Every structure is written in C-alpha cells, then in structure tokens.
Amino acid sequence: MYDPTTALKGKTAVFEAMAENSAVKALAELATDAKFDRDEMTITVARESIVAACEAVKAAGYTFFETVTAVDWYPQEPRFQMSYHILSMSLKQRIRLVAQLDSSNASIDSITGVWPAANFYEREVFDLFGVNFAGHPGLTRIMMPADWQGHPLRKDYPVEGYR
C-alpha cells in the first residue's frame, strides 16, 4: 500500500536524504527542484540546462536513454513539461529529468548530441505537441502528414480537428 508520507519533496529534502545517489551528486549545481516518490527520482532542471544535465547524468553512469515526452498542463503556465527518462544499468537506477516550458516559448535544446536515440522522440514531441528542439538535425513531422495543421496532443486542440 502506498504511503504518501514517505515521499520526499523539494530539492533540499531529496538531496540531503539521498546525498550518495549518483544523479544527485551529478546534478547538485543544475537542479532547481526534486522529488523522490514510489522509488522514482525526478529532478527538475532549467530548460537552458537540459543538455548539461544530460551530460552530467551520463558521466555519472546513467548511460541508457529511454525516452523523452511532453505533458501539456493547459491552461496552466508553464504549460509544457518535458520528461526525460534515463537508466543506469550498472547502478540499477532510473531517473526522470524534467524541464518546464512556457507556451510563449515552447522550445528547448535538442539532446541528440548527447544521445542520438533522442532524434525520433524529439520529432514525435515536435509533431504532436509543437515543442521546438533547437539544434535538432532534422526536425520534421514524423506521425502526421506534412501539411497537417496544429498539434493533436495539445489540450486546446479541437477533438474533431480544425475544420
């Protein structure tokens, strides 16, 4: 049974309780917030720091990039939450890096230079949410037709599409 009182919330609480964790050590200077709940570590970084954060956790042993996806919190701001899931097989640990994006500037640096496997995931997020990835080697639609109007996973996208 899940006990919500066991969750650690806030950068200070998480970083003090898990000071020996490799990701905590690697992201000490880059983290803006953190949460450890249900055996899952989530560390929030500034959008400008996402590439540096990915490089730091990779150097700390988190070498397997699983996925990147977005969450649309419309009408709330910041509107988009970018979630990067990264695994360390040698440490048997998983981490989620999170960056928040405002709707007025839904753009973040591409991490394809750190993990080339991010290419298709970033294209999918671009296609379905409209988030731009600066420095991406070929940011084009991957699921919707090239002439499609809008981004269908945005919460303000009409259920039946634009007419």
Side-chain angles (χ1 to χ4, degrees), residues 12-26:
T12 304
V14 172
F15 279 49
E16 285 177 1
M18 308 197 76
E20 296 306 311
N21 181 286
S22 297
V24 166
K25 289 178 184 177

Side-chain angles (χ1 to χ4, degrees), residues 9 19 24 27 44 49 57 70 81 106 109 113 119 133 141-142 156:
K9 296 181 181 174
V24 166
L27 296 172
T44 303
S49 302
V57 296
Q81 173 184 306
D109 290 336
N119 185 318
F133 290 89
R141 289 204 182 256
I142 192 169
D156 57 353

Side-chain angles (χ1 to χ4, degrees), residues 32-83:
T32 60
D33 196 9
K35 179 173 76 170
F36 186 77
D37 189 11
R38 301 174 192 178
D39 291 328
E40 292 182 357
M41 173 79 71
T42 302
I43 298 180
T44 303
V45 298
R47 60 186 278 195
E48 298 83 12
S49 302
I50 193 62
V51 173
C54 288
E55 289 170 341
V57 296
K58 187 174 186 179
Y62 293 81
T63 56
F64 185 81
F65 170 78
E66 289 183 304
T67 186
V68 59
T69 191
V71 178
D72 185 356
W73 293 106
Y74 178 82
Q76 185 178 307
E77 288 292 342
R79 179 174 179 172
F80 299 103
Q81 173 184 306
M82 299 303 302
S83 295

Side-chain angles (χ1 to χ4, degrees), residues 75-123:
Q76 185 178 307
E77 288 292 342
R79 179 174 179 172
F80 299 103
Q81 173 184 306
M82 299 303 302
S83 295
Y84 298 80
H85 301 95
I86 305 161
L87 175 68
S88 170
M89 291 188 204
S90 61
L91 300 171
K92 295 181 177 69
Q93 295 175 355
R94 182 175 269 123
I95 186 170
R96 178 183 304 113
L97 294 179
V98 168
Q100 305 287 337
L101 308 178
D102 289 324
S103 58
S104 62
N105 188 7
S107 179
I108 192 165
D109 290 336
S110 173
I111 64 161
T112 56
V114 181
W115 283 296
N119 185 318
F120 286 96
Y121 293 106
E122 289 180 353
R123 286 178 60 197

